[in-house]
Amino acid sequence: MARAPFELAGVRVAAGSRTQIDVPVARLYTHAPLHIPVEVVHGRQHGPVLLVCGGIHGDEINSVEIVRRLLRSRQLQSVRGTLIAAPIVNVFGFVQHSRYLPDRRDLNRCFPGSESGSLGGRVAALFREQIVDHATHIIDLHTGAIHRTNLPQIRAQLSPGSETERMASAFGAPVILNAELREGSLRHYAQNRGIPVLTYEAGEALRFDEWAIAPGVRGVLRVMRRIGMLTGEHRRRPPPAAELANGSSWARAPIDGILRPQVRLGARVAKGEVLGKVADPFGNAEGEVKSMADGIVIGMSRLPLANEGEALFHVARFDAIEEAESAVESFQSSLEPPPDSLY
């Protein structure tokens, strides 16, 4: 018996086919319509419905490229279940090179949204109703905020033996953060509905970071294989086991001035170690930015200008710091060529 078509936003996608759908979202001031672009790959055989989405923050373009490359993968020719790929959710921000919507709201703090609310609430409600609620599994792709870069990492709410944990371990990022849910985020909404969801964070906003994009594509395909959407063994060697962080903290600027970093993204650091120095333009005043704990630098500012109290280095803490350092080193050595921002 043939599998039934998959319906999204009023469009029916036959089993064994793929279709691009423009989901109407709003209009510009000029009355020109805007759409969330989606591609549905509907397999001939039953299986999970995986949503892979990028660009919830409009300036995070690494996520858009990950989705594009995923859709070009020949492995999708034999997909089981259904893949919903949404490369650009916040089309307003994407057009304006901005993280936010035109009203300065963060779309990832607007879920579940409201059909009669603000622009952010209405976009969130439409995306939820038309797309998210179809999914059985979700991978949400992100980068660091503007002028910040992130070591490839998975953020998820984990419990032993859960489907979310299985997905996180399969992805292949060197670090997993057991992160609390943030009110209004897509992850908060999905997790509360019992939908396993991962957030992949890697690279910097408004940049194409190959060292973040290529592992992201491979990670999504690994998850698809783990949850039964792809068959057969992966030809590449398996990724090193990711290490679970038991917490993280930001080291902040002690004074206003210009930052000179002294550690690299992915570096192992000790509590009290100097991560960088902030000085005024004359060098009359200088302050040291020190790590609050032993750990690995998983995020850092890329802008040398800093105000007192500004977050500059994100350090994750691990019970087994040597294993975490080894996982990061193994990940870095697998990248060709090695990224300058990691060394």
Side-chain angles (χ1 to χ4, degrees):
M1 181 177 178
R3 189 183 180 199
F6 184 85
E7 186 168 336
L8 187 144
V11 178
R12 293 165 64 87
V13 183
S17 67
R18 54 197 297 171
T19 301
Q20 293 182 359
I21 302 169
D22 289 331
V23 180
V25 60
R27 291 184 180 273
L28 298 173
Y29 304 120
T30 61
H31 198 65
L34 277 183
H35 303 83
I36 296 176
V38 179
E39 182 160 339
V40 174
V41 182
H42 190 41
R44 296 184 183 278
Q45 300 184 56
H46 290 278
V49 179
L50 173 65
L51 167 63
V52 180
C53 57
I56 283 184
H57 294 134
D59 59 356
E60 297 181 357
I61 64 174
N62 279 331
S63 62
V64 181
E65 178 65 6
I66 290 171
V67 177
R68 185 191 72 85
R69 294 191 195 182
L70 172 66
L71 289 171
R72 296 185 64 189
S73 172
R74 286 178 290 183
Q75 297 183 54
L76 298 187
Q77 295 173 0
S78 58
V79 70
R80 293 180 177 181
T82 305
L83 171 66
I84 305 173
I88 309 167
V89 178
N90 181 0
V91 289
F92 292 96
F94 186 78
V95 169
Q96 296 296 323
H97 307 171
S98 171
R99 176 184 180 91
Y100 302 106
L101 292 159
D103 58 3
R104 295 297 297 171
R105 282 183 168 85
D106 183 335
L107 180 57
N108 208 31
R109 299 294 180 267
C110 293
F111 288 93
S114 169
E115 294 179 357
S116 58
S118 65
L119 176 61
R122 289 186 286 113
V123 173
L126 182 142
F127 183 61
R128 169 180 57 81
E129 294 170 359
Q130 297 290 339
I131 299 171
V132 174
D133 287 347
H134 290 282
T136 62
H137 300 71
I138 298 175
I139 301 176
D140 185 20
L141 306 169
H142 287 265
T143 76
I146 190 73
H147 303 312
R148 288 183 182 171
T149 187
N150 281 336
L151 183 77
Q153 59 197 258
I154 288 293
R155 299 183 184 181
Q157 188 177 59
L158 304 175
S159 56
S162 66
E163 184 77 344
T164 303
E165 184 184 56
R166 292 177 63 241
M167 293 168 63
S169 62
F171 196 97
V175 172
I176 300 173
L177 283 177
N178 192 1
E180 294 296 323
L181 299 174
R182 290 193 174 184
E183 185 76 28
S185 67
L186 172 62
R187 191 162 65 89
H188 181 271
Y189 169 76
Q191 198 78 40
N192 285 343
R193 283 178 54 87
I195 302 172
V197 55
L198 303 181
T199 296
Y200 174 63
E201 291 266 2
E204 183 181 355
L206 295 177
R207 297 288 184 272
F208 270 179
D209 298 305
E210 183 60 27
W211 53 268
I213 295 168
V217 178
R218 292 196 296 268
V220 173
L221 291 171
R222 288 191 189 107
V223 171
M224 294 180 70
R225 191 169 292 104
R226 176 65 62 87
I227 65 177
M229 295 185 72
L230 299 175
T231 59
E233 294 296 324
H234 193 40
R235 294 180 181 178
R236 289 179 176 268
R237 63 182 181 182
E243 291 299 318
L244 178 63
N246 57 28
S248 66
S249 58
W250 281 93
R252 298 178 179 274
I255 62 173
D256 303 309
I258 300 171
L259 170 67
R260 289 170 289 128
Q262 295 187 197
V263 296
R264 304 178 299 265
L265 193 64
R268 175 181 175 178
V269 297
K271 182 177 180 179
E273 180 176 342
V274 176
L275 308 179
K277 295 182 179 181
V278 179
D280 66 38
F282 300 101
N284 296 325
E286 182 174 270
E288 295 179 333
V289 186
K290 295 183 179 181
S291 177
M292 303 295 291
D294 297 342
I296 301 291
V297 179
I298 62 169
M300 59 188 294
S301 174
R302 299 282 281 175
L303 185 67
L305 311 180
N307 293 115
E308 183 177 352
E310 187 172 343
L312 300 179
F313 299 90
H314 193 192
V315 178
R317 303 185 297 274
F318 300 85
D319 290 328
I321 186 65
E322 289 79 10
E323 285 80 356
E325 182 182 31
S326 177
V328 172
E329 289 176 350
S330 296
F331 173 82
Q332 292 173 346
S333 65
S334 70
L335 301 172
E336 296 181 3
D340 292 339
S341 56
L342 288 176
Y343 289 86

